[in-house]
């Protein structure tokens, strides 16, 4: 339980850490931020496949593949429904470049809300990993999510400061988005701990949410500023880093 608590704080704290970096380096080029985000996407992709989806098939027994496929699509659909309620992250960042949304505080609030909502299933995914009992895989999933949260925390800073939000309130918003992930981690952990029967579906569901976020948010953003080649190699490198880590930890 202590390890779950430490991991939850680490996963949520990664967003805050990213926000601190955002305060320090406010002028990061799109190319650098895209490469960092693509590297995180590769790590999340490996974590989703190796730490959630493949174990779901294994734990599901005779009907494992069916349970896994249904769980993946259910997770993806749930995130899709959330996206209909809040703006896409890449849409907001694209609007920034047009120069007319920086003063729109309402949209900034929605943008931060979008990140907070996306953080909930990511936290749940981290908690479900621990609920499976495989500590090495759980740490791999949590590590992948935490690395993805760093650039996510970074991109919160600029639009909020540009909208006139104070540094103190901006940091508080980053802290809240990280706290959502901590809560999600405990939700996932206790849900699986209470009922191991739902473990295969829960793993696949969490994997589906991560796959959706990677494709719909992260890859699109990293390929929207003429940095496609670098972002592609960064994603592959991130995937390989997690692949090697999984083999070494296994």
């Amino acid at each position: 339980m202590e390890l779950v608590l430490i991991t939850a704080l680490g996963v949520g704290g990664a967003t805050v850490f990213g926000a601190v970096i955002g305060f320090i380096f406010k002028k990061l080029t799109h190319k650098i931020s895209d490469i960092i985000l693509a590297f995180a996407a590769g790590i999340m992709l490996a974590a989703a496949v190796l730490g959630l989806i493949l174990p779901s098939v294994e734990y599901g027994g005779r009907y494992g593949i069916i349970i896994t496929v249904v769980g993946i699509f259910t997770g993806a659909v749930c995130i899709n429904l959330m996206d209909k309620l809040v703006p896409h992250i890449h849409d907001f960042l694209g609007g920034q470049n047009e120069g007319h949304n920086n003063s729109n505080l309402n949209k900034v609030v929605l943008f931060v809300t979008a990140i907070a909502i996306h953080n909930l299933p990511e936290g749940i995914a981290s908690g479900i990993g621990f609920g499976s009992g495989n500590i090495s895989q759980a740490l791999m999933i949590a590590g992948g999510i935490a690395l993805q949260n760093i650039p996510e925390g970074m991109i919160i800073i600029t639009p909020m400061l540009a909208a006139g939000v104070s540094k103190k309130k901006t940091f508080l918003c980053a802290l809240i988005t990280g706290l959502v992930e901590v809560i999600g981690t405990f939700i996932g952990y206790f849900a699986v701990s209470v009922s191991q029967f739902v473990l295969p579906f829960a793993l696949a569901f969490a994997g589906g949410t991560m796959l959706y976020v990677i494709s719909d948010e992260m890859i699109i953003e990293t390929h929207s500023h003429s940095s496609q080649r670098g972002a592609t190699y960064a994603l592959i490198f991130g995937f390989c880093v997690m692949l090697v880590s999984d083999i070494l930890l296994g």
Side-chain angles (χ1 to χ4, degrees):
M1 183 62 183
E2 290 182 2
L3 183 58
V4 177
L5 175 60
I6 294 172
T7 303
L9 293 175
V11 170
T15 301
V16 180
F17 179 68
V20 172
I21 297 177
F23 277 118
I24 298 173
F25 302 100
K26 300 176 184 178
K27 300 294 183 179
L28 279 179
T29 65
H30 277 307
K31 183 176 182 179
I32 293 176
S33 61
D34 287 346
I35 288 176
I36 294 173
L37 193 60
F39 176 76
I43 288 177
M44 280 189 67
L45 180 60
V49 174
L50 301 175
L52 293 170
I53 294 174
L54 292 182
S56 170
V57 177
E58 179 182 349
Y59 292 134
R62 182 177 179 182
Y63 301 103
I65 188 63
I66 298 176
I67 295 172
T68 300
V69 170
V70 172
I72 289 172
F73 274 96
T74 303
V77 169
C78 284
I79 293 294
N80 184 213
L81 293 176
M82 288 183 180
D83 274 341
K84 293 183 181 298
L85 301 177
V86 292
H88 291 275
I89 294 175
H90 58 79
D91 286 344
F92 179 87
L93 295 178
Q96 263 191 287
N97 295 332
E98 295 169 10
H100 60 265
N101 284 327
N102 286 349
S103 61
N104 192 336
L105 184 58
N106 288 334
K107 191 165 187 178
V108 170
V109 172
L110 287 175
F111 167 60
V112 176
T113 302
I115 292 180
I117 289 177
H118 283 119
N119 280 355
L120 183 61
E122 290 174 6
I124 292 175
S126 178
I128 287 173
F130 280 99
S132 69
N134 191 322
I135 302 301
S136 62
Q137 284 185 347
L139 291 175
M140 181 185 70
I141 296 166
I145 294 173
L147 284 175
Q148 181 264 337
N149 284 343
I150 294 175
E152 199 170 77
M154 292 168 61
I155 64 175
I156 294 176
I157 303 304
T158 300
M160 294 196 70
L161 293 178
V165 181
S166 68
K167 290 183 178 180
K168 184 177 180 180
K169 290 183 179 179
T170 297
F171 183 77
L172 181 60
C173 287
L175 187 63
I176 291 174
T177 59
L179 181 61
V180 168
E181 200 136 18
V182 174
I183 295 172
T185 301
F186 282 105
I187 291 175
Y189 173 72
F190 284 115
V192 176
S193 298
V194 170
S195 177
Q196 287 290 325
F197 292 106
V198 303
L199 179 59
F201 179 82
L203 288 170
F205 179 91
T209 63
M210 290 176 69
L211 289 178
Y212 186 94
V213 171
I214 292 166
S215 177
D216 192 63
E217 303 289 355
M218 301 176 74
I219 292 178
I220 289 178
E221 173 60 22
T222 60
H223 284 63
S224 60
H225 308 116
S226 302
S227 306
Q228 298 93 324
R229 186 67 58 83
T232 298
Y233 280 112
L235 185 147
I236 294 172
F237 181 63
F239 186 93
C240 290
V241 166
M242 289 306 290
L243 178 62
V244 173
S245 299
D246 181 56
I247 293 174
L248 293 179
L249 290 174

